[in-house]
Amino acid sequence: MHKISRKNEENELLIEVEELSGQNLYGCFQCGTCSAGCPFAEEMDLSPDTIIRYVILGRAEVLDSKTLWLCASCFTCAERCPRDLNLTKIMEALRVLLLRKKKDHTNVETCQTVVEHEKAIPQMALVSVFRKNTG
Amino acid sequence: MTEETIREAKQEVLGTITIYIMGKGYEVPSGLTIMSAIEYAGYKFVRSCGCRAGFCGACATVYRKETEHKLTFTLACQTLAEEGMYLVQLPFVPAAKSIYDLDKIELVGNTILEHYPEIARCVSCNTCTKSCPQDIEVMKYIQAALRGDAARCAQLSFDCIQCGLCAMRCPADIKHYHVAQMARRLYAKFLAPKTPQLDVRNKELEDGKFDKELDRYEKLDKKELVALYKARDHEEGDSS
Amino acid sequence: MGQSGKSEQKPKAAITYYPGCTMKTSATNYERTALAVAKNLGIELNELDDWNCCGVVATLAKDDLMHQLAPIRNLRRLQEKGEDKVLVLCDMCYNTLRQSEQFIQDNPDKLATINAFFDQEGPYKGGVKVIHFLQYLRDEYTFEKLKKKVEVKLKGLKVVPYYGCMLLRPKGCAIDDQEEPRVLKDLMETLGAEVVDSPYKIECCGSYNTVEQKELVAKRTYRIVKAARDQGGELIVLSCPLCRFNLDERSRLAQEMYPDFVPLPVMYYTQLMALAMNLDPDMLGLEKHYVDPRPLLKKKGFLHTDAAETEMSD
């Protein structure tokens, strides 16, 4: 079991996430407000507050969760957090960690670029999904 | 004597410079193009060499001058070799090309994006523009392609010789020159104004209007052809 | 209109406009109506001459500078042209440009690095204000002035404002109250429409998940649109091209997934403004939408089958 302590230098995952996001994950007191407002919470395997918990506990399986890639970066969690934690940045940090290991989440070649009838999937949808899901 | 002085003296007195081909140093006369300098050093080009006139894009070269840290990109046949150049030739860029049938394709806003979705990954870093030996505004034409403006992409990319240097350096893995070629083809097919005179001439050819003349020329021998050529209509001062 | 001659003598307000890629492709109707509305109000929108895709989403990793290049490049260009503000139509472009400007203000050391990268282009010093068209209309043009330009009151049209995320979050970008915004409500009431509130008005439409998880987005579409209809709404009004796509085009998929689902037409606020200001109905571009708003608009008397004059409805 990991000892939950500010001096836990062994938790590399936490250190990296805090560095990339600029957020103090220990500030979270697990109120669940973020998950309550998250538009995709019910599709996620790990809810946003659980993600934070896992990172603090050093549980690396958090990197395999679907949650990171369901996040729509809507900032609802960040704006409602009573501890002023920017969860959107924390989610981004976890994605970026994986993308920088050359693990793209979206395959640029096979992802759908057209809608059958109109051939007009907006540019912005493609640009943003590639930005979030590819390195 | 400083190194600088030695170098300058060598250039002035002997007329030679030192260049490095794949890390190995050679003394070559100054005043040669990179391509000629490499050949002077004893190498024979079986790839990375083509028209020798700055038009085919085969001799893409990356170099760094000894006194600099920047990498520069150019064509070997168009640039003079300079003292302290560390040279690398890029004979081939394995960029993927989208296969399409121009007769079956239609031009809508997303056509180019459909075939080259990676253009949506452009981060506007401008590395491609900095890599272009033809001074083309590469990033601008990719941005035009991204927003469905095939005409602008075609116009901006007109001077492209497909050397591939842009694609090699792009962090988003865009194949700029293939994207631009598609834009130019789409422009020519769908957007460029058609010349009615071309249709007229084509019909004349098909109707056999020029058959007699062509037959006549085919039957002439070389001496007669040369005589005809020399006697052709041309402006004064134009050497035959 | 009382002050005769005064509005003609006043110089036209001119502002540089940043379109973004989608305005030139799937949201041409939004751009066209916005430009027409602006012209009618005496606002000159001059498109920035040399712009690139802003990146659509702000990069949130602390050390990521590469993905800041795209939005900052636009801000730099604006400053180079002597502009200190820019007007934006697309919500996501607005948010990204605004967040980048904030990033610059908060991180002068990182700005120095980026400027070192812009060695051939010239540096950016920060300070360009990014304004959304809705903000401009509310704060600089004002809705009181706009009321005088309304020729056809959209009376009896039950409109549901939908905001989505990007105009309200994060706080630095918010143009209105984050939990109870009212700018679209006020605008619609200025146009004479009846505003119906919806509990989902600030919920995310699903954004870019529409590319790879379209069923999940269709689920949100179902929920958001159904709530709007259940509240008594007839039409959804919004300001973002991606929201439009998700609430309108994805209704097609939602209909396949939920047999009881009846979609609602979705329009941009500029299209409704153009209607209310009695501008040329042929340029509205409503045929680009999946759920056709025209039958509803015709039924309410705002759109006629022939482009003949519309009488002032009271």
Side-chain angles (χ1 to χ4, degrees), chain A residues 108 114 121 123 127 130 134-135, chain B residues 110 113-114 117-118 120-121 146:
Chain A
V108 171
V114 300
I121 202 164
Q123 255 67 345
V127 172
F130 289 159
T134 65
Chain B
N110 273 12
L113 188 54
E114 201 184 314
E118 62 275 10
R121 294 187 68 207
L146 176 59

Side-chain angles (χ1 to χ4, degrees), chain B residues 79-115:
Chain B
T79 310
L80 289 180
E82 286 172 51
E83 172 67 40
M85 267 186 175
Y86 280 84
L87 298 158
V88 162
Q89 308 310 114
L90 269 172
F92 179 69
V93 174
K97 198 173 124 164
S98 174
I99 308 297
Y100 51 88
D101 184 347
L102 207 57
D103 288 327
K104 298 210 180 83
I105 220 172
E106 56 168 312
L107 181 57
V108 293
N110 273 12
T111 304
I112 302 177
L113 188 54
E114 201 184 314
H115 287 86

